[in-house]
């Protein structure tokens, strides 16, 4: 991972939107990786992996990073990386908790925001999602929404009231909310699975048949490759991964931190994350 240099003006693909990269996914029947970022070294390694596979990336800022005060720093890191790379990068808010948080991200230059109203009453999810879409689309930013609460623990946020997405709600939701992507709960969970996931592929196919926008699979960590491939065949166009990548990074750190080499300390962590990200990218891209 050699030193990076700013690219010439004509070389730069600045930050792009979720809608633009998901169009590529729809046209090619693949899925775009959405990788959570939490520091400087992670996105550096992830962008190297995207470049090696020549694949757009959605770099995702989640509630854990936001609660740790990293929102503005991570936004600046991603913008800097976008000025130095040839692959399209999306700066995306993950599981936005309020309309106000999505507006803050619009101000910070995000090109995609998720509002996750799946744990609220359906009517409230519709109302808030409509407000987020109106603000974001007014400034050319894409929106991901969610129906069917996803279980597990993500960034310290755990949800008990899990439910599989209700097809009638999907039909009602997409009729009145003009979102660019829709995350659906089909039995997927955040964090590493205890045992084999039980994904409801029939329900996924039925969602797609309703004419939804591109669908999103959350909880990518620990999902068997054959299930990922099947989900993509059935219409998943964005796959989120966080836990597995963080674990790979931390295992690298554990292996080197005792060497007291301050600048070499992250080398193994970045290599671990780079290699795992390339594996995930090839899987999502059908390579
Ligand atoms: O929102 C983030 C993703 O859904 C990550 O899920 O940690 O199970 O990979 P994961
Ligand atoms: Zn998620």
């Amino acid at each position: 991972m050699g030193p990076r240099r700013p690219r010439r003006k004509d070389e730069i693909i600045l930050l792009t939107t979720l809608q633009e990269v998901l169009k590529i996914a729809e046209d090619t029947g693949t899925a775009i990786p959405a990788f959570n970022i939490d520091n400087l070294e992670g996105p550096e390694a992830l962008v190297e992996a995207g470049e090696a596979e020549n694949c757009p990336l959605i770099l995702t800022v989640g509630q854990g990073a936001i609660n740790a005060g990293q929102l503005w720093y991570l936004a600046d890191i991603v913008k800097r990386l976008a000025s130095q790379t040839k692959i399209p990068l999306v700066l995306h808010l993950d599981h936005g908790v309020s309309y106000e948080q999505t507006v803050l991200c619009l101000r910070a230059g995000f090109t995609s925001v998720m509002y996750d109203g799946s744990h609220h009453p359906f009517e409230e999810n519709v109302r808030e999602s409509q407000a987020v879409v109106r603000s974001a689309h007014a400034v050319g930013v894409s929106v991901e929404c969610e129906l069917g609460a996803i279980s597990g623990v993500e960034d310290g946020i755990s949800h008990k009231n899990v439910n599989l997405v209700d097809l009638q709600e999907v039909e009602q939701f997409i009729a009145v909310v003009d979102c660019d992507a829709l995350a659906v709960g089909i039995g997927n969970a955040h964090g590493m699975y205890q045992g084999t996931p039980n994904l409801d592929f029939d329900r996924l196919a039925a969602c797609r048949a309703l004419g939804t926008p591109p669908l999103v699979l959350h909880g990518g960590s620990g999902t068997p490759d054959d299930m990922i491939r099947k989900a993509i065949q059935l219409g998943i166009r964005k796959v989120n991964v966080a836990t597995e990548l963080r674990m790979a990074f931390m295992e690298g750190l554990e292996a080197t931190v005792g060497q007291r080499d301050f600048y070499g300390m992250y080398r193994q962590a970045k290599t671990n994350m780079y290699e795992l990200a390339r594996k995930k990218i090839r899987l999502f891209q059908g390579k």
Side-chain angles (χ1 to χ4, degrees):
M1 301 176 196
R4 292 179 158 279
R5 63 167 183 81
R7 294 200 176 278
R8 294 196 320 272
K9 213 167 175 53
D10 63 341
E11 286 183 315
I12 292 175
I13 306 169
L14 292 176
L15 283 174
T16 185
T17 65
L18 181 67
Q19 184 188 43
E20 288 170 287
V21 296
L22 292 186
K23 171 93 176 58
I24 299 169
E26 283 284 5
D27 293 347
T28 55
T30 62
I32 306 294
F35 296 146
N36 281 64
I37 58 172
D38 304 282
N39 54 22
L40 164 62
E41 294 76 14
E44 283 185 317
L46 296 173
V47 170
E48 295 272 351
E51 288 170 338
E53 297 296 334
N54 190 29
C55 179
L57 288 184
I58 301 160
L59 296 179
T60 292
V61 178
Q63 298 306 311
I66 291 172
N67 294 337
Q70 301 302 314
L71 187 149
W72 290 89
Y73 301 120
L74 294 174
D76 287 347
I77 288 168
V78 172
K79 290 172 195 169
R80 171 64 60 180
L81 286 166
S83 74
Q84 298 171 339
T85 183
K86 284 192 166 179
I87 60 169
L89 294 183
V90 180
L91 173 55
H92 177 75
L93 167 66
D94 197 26
H95 290 288
V97 295
S98 66
Y99 167 77
E100 290 74 12
Q101 189 180 63
T102 65
V103 173
L104 178 66
C105 289
L106 298 181
R107 176 119 188 271
F110 282 57
T111 50
S112 177
V113 291
M114 176 183 188
Y115 170 72
D116 179 2
S118 62
H119 308 288
H120 300 302
F122 178 73
E123 292 71 23
E124 180 182 341
N125 189 5
V126 167
R127 190 177 59 246
E128 292 300 294
S129 298
Q130 286 173 325
V132 171
V133 167
R134 187 165 177 186
S135 307
H137 283 185
V139 291
V141 171
S142 305
V143 179
E144 174 185 342
C145 296
E146 182 171 330
L147 285 174
I150 291 160
S151 71
V153 181
E154 184 67 27
D155 288 345
I157 301 168
S158 71
H159 294 296
K160 297 273 180 291
N161 59 329
V162 169
N163 49 29
L164 294 174
V165 66
D166 177 306
L167 293 173
Q168 280 185 328
E169 286 190 353
V170 172
E171 201 161 18
Q172 291 166 24
F173 191 89
I174 62 176
V176 293
V177 179
D178 180 25
C179 57
D180 304 290
L182 182 63
V184 287
I186 56 168
N188 43 327
H190 287 134
M192 295 308 282
Y193 288 96
Q194 311 301 327
T196 305
N198 178 22
L199 301 185
D200 188 337
F201 291 109
D202 292 340
R203 193 178 296 264
L204 174 58
C207 284
R208 197 73 185 107
L210 292 171
T212 60
L215 294 173
V216 182
L217 182 72
H218 281 247
S221 291
T223 307
D225 290 1
D226 61 322
M227 290 191 176
I228 295 283
R229 289 192 192 94
K230 185 166 184 180
I232 293 170
Q233 280 164 10
L234 294 172
I236 290 291
R237 294 290 172 257
K238 169 177 176 274
V239 180
N240 288 34
V241 181
T243 302
E244 257 189 283
L245 289 165
R246 289 173 177 154
M247 285 167 61
F249 190 90
M250 287 188 283
E251 281 157 21
L253 267 189
E254 282 161 5
T256 56
V257 70
Q259 296 161 12
R260 295 280 184 271
D261 170 359
F262 191 77
Y263 285 96
M265 175 167 67
Y266 290 108
R267 198 169 296 122
Q268 188 59 51
K270 289 176 71 172
T271 301
N272 288 4
M273 189 174 258
Y274 167 84
E275 288 171 352
L276 178 60
R278 283 195 68 172
K279 189 167 160 278
K280 296 291 182 186
I281 292 168
R282 285 199 296 273
L283 172 64
F284 301 166
Q285 289 290 297
K287 291 180 183 174

